[in-house]
């Protein structure tokens, strides 16, 4: 098992990023690369372009806040381990961070030993998940070899697991759900669920969730007078701007452009 990790430090203060980097570099932890970002947007772009294992994330940043960036990260199905490090010590911030899957919530100034222990905890979780994934992979390899005696099919040729996941998403697309919540509520390992769904549907679970949300959004844009903000909330997005970006990427038009064409009688 490869025990080398990549870390992304996200803070709008360069001196804070430098201090965290120095702590990590002197810790002798098995880190292969350490990246930096000065904003939530830059964080999302870095995660998109690099394989990041652990993020040390500040909440209070101009523009896109740390919590907003974390929610977008989870909406895209990213399970990167996140440590919140902030001067804000209000309880509600900690609750929101932990609900979004943060490993720890650290209040500045953070002692070096506390930060190192939090990074170690994140590494341990990554190791546990990787071990589970490898175990499931071995089980699935065995099932493939012995598939002649196992019927994975069912109605419409879809395995029962996949049909159940599709039904769950279609019933809950308007809620704040991601891979973790879907797997938990349907009582499956997320690694097994993700691999099986992709093999049957030729798309990821999050891709299917986005597809359902976008199709519903198109319907609401065409037949209601609801604002883009309201439609974003009705289709499971807490950030209307992120909803609009996703819609444009999916449909090739902004939500308002789509509505204008739908109301004009032209086929969008």
């Amino acid at each position: 098992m490869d025990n080398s990790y990549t870390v992304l430090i996200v803070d709008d203060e360069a001196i804070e990023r430098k201090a965290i980097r120095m702590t990590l570099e002197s810790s002798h932890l098995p880190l292969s690369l350490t990246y930096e970002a000065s904003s939530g947007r830059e964080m999302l772009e870095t995660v998109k372009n690099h394989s990041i294992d652990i993020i040390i994330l500040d909440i209070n940043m101009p523009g896109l806040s740390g919590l907003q960036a974390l929610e977008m990260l989870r909406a895209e199905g990213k399970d990167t381990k996140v440590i919140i490090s902030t001067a804000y010590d209000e309880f509600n911030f900690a609750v929101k961070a932990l609900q979004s899957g943060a490993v720890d919530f650290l209040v500045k100034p953070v002692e070096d030993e506390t930060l190192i222990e939090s990074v170690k905890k994140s590494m341990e979780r990554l190791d546990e998940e990787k071990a589970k994934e490898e175990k499931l992979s071995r089980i699935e390899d065995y099932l493939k070899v012995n598939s002649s005696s196992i019927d994975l099919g069912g109605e419409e040729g879809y395995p029962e697991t996949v049909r159940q996941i599709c039904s769950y998403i279609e019933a809950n697309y308007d809620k704040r759900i991601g891979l973790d919540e879907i797997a938990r509520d349907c009582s499956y390992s997320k690694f097994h669920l993700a691999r099986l769904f992709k093999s049957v549907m030729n798309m990821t679970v999050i891709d299917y969730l986005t597809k359902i949300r976008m199709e519903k959004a198109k319907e609401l844009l065409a037949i209601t007078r609801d604002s883009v903000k309201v439609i974003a909330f009705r289709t499971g997005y807490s950030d209307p701007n992120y909803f609009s970006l996703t819609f444009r990427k999916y449909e090739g038009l902004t939500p308002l452009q789509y509505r204008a064409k739908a109301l004009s009688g032209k086929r969008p």
Side-chain angles (χ1 to χ4, degrees):
M1 183 180 295
D2 181 11
N3 288 323
S4 181
Y5 307 88
T6 57
V7 175
L8 171 60
I9 304 168
V10 186
D11 198 302
D12 61 319
E13 296 288 342
I15 192 170
E16 292 286 349
R17 299 197 303 272
K18 182 177 180 180
I20 294 172
R21 177 183 281 272
M22 290 177 64
T23 298
L24 295 180
E25 289 176 347
S26 63
S27 69
H28 303 296
L29 292 172
L31 305 176
S32 57
L33 290 170
T34 302
Y35 299 90
E36 294 185 21
S38 60
S39 67
R41 294 288 181 192
E42 191 177 342
M43 163 190 144
L44 294 173
E45 191 66 22
T46 303
V47 173
K48 178 181 177 182
N49 295 323
H50 302 280
S51 177
I52 304 295
D53 295 312
I54 301 168
I55 298 175
I56 301 172
L57 176 62
D58 183 35
I59 285 180
N60 187 24
M61 294 184 291
L64 192 69
S65 74
L67 284 178
Q68 289 174 322
L70 178 55
E71 288 179 355
M72 290 183 182
L73 189 73
R74 296 303 185 227
E76 294 176 357
K78 300 290 186 181
D79 193 32
T80 310
K81 300 308 166 197
V82 176
I83 300 167
I84 297 294
S85 174
T86 181
Y88 283 20
D89 60 353
E90 287 88 344
F91 179 73
N92 61 323
F93 279 112
V95 170
K96 288 182 180 179
L98 296 174
Q99 285 177 339
S100 296
V103 174
D104 257 337
F105 183 92
L106 309 180
V107 179
K108 296 178 181 178
V110 181
E111 296 290 335
D112 290 352
E113 295 79 6
T114 302
L115 176 62
I116 291 169
E117 285 303 313
S118 187
V119 173
K120 286 181 179 178
K121 183 194 297 185
S122 300
M123 292 176 174
E124 289 171 359
R125 291 196 183 182
L126 287 166
D127 285 343
E128 290 171 1
E129 292 177 0
K130 190 170 184 179
K132 289 179 181 178
E133 187 174 7
E134 290 176 348
K135 182 177 180 180
L136 285 169
S137 180
R138 290 194 297 270
I139 293 172
E140 289 180 357
D141 288 343
Y142 172 82
L143 293 175
K144 288 178 182 177
V145 172
N146 297 275
S147 61
S148 59
S149 61
I150 301 174
D151 180 15
L152 290 178
E155 182 183 352
E156 299 178 356
Y158 287 173
E160 178 61 32
T161 299
V162 174
R163 294 202 307 277
Q164 180 183 353
I165 299 309
C166 289
S167 296
Y168 176 87
I169 290 174
E170 289 159 15
N172 295 279
Y173 67 87
D174 57 336
K175 300 179 178 63
R176 291 176 59 185
I177 58 172
L179 184 58
D180 285 338
E181 290 77 17
I182 295 170
R184 181 197 64 212
D185 292 348
C186 295
S187 302
Y188 290 105
S189 156
K190 66 179 179 181
F191 301 109
H192 171 71
L193 181 151
R195 188 177 291 109
L196 178 59
F197 194 94
K198 180 69 178 291
S199 68
V200 173
M201 299 292 287
N202 199 30
M203 67 174 70
T204 67
V205 174
I206 298 303
D207 286 342
Y208 186 78
L209 173 60
T210 300
K211 176 178 180 294
I212 295 299
R213 284 174 166 172
M214 292 298 102
E215 292 302 318
K216 184 62 178 179
K218 287 162 60 177
E219 178 184 337
L220 293 172
L221 286 165
I223 67 174
T224 76
R225 294 180 178 272
D226 290 346
S227 67
V228 172
K229 181 177 181 179
V230 168
I231 291 175
F233 293 154
R234 290 184 64 181
T235 52
Y237 291 91
S238 59
D239 185 336
N241 291 327
Y242 183 65
F243 162 76
S244 295
L245 289 172
T246 303
F247 188 93
R248 183 167 188 171
K249 181 179 179 181
Y250 182 85
E251 192 63 26
L253 299 169
T254 67
L256 292 180
Q257 287 172 337
Y258 182 92
R259 168 172 278 168
K261 284 198 172 186
L263 292 177
S264 69
K266 297 179 181 179
R267 185 172 181 177

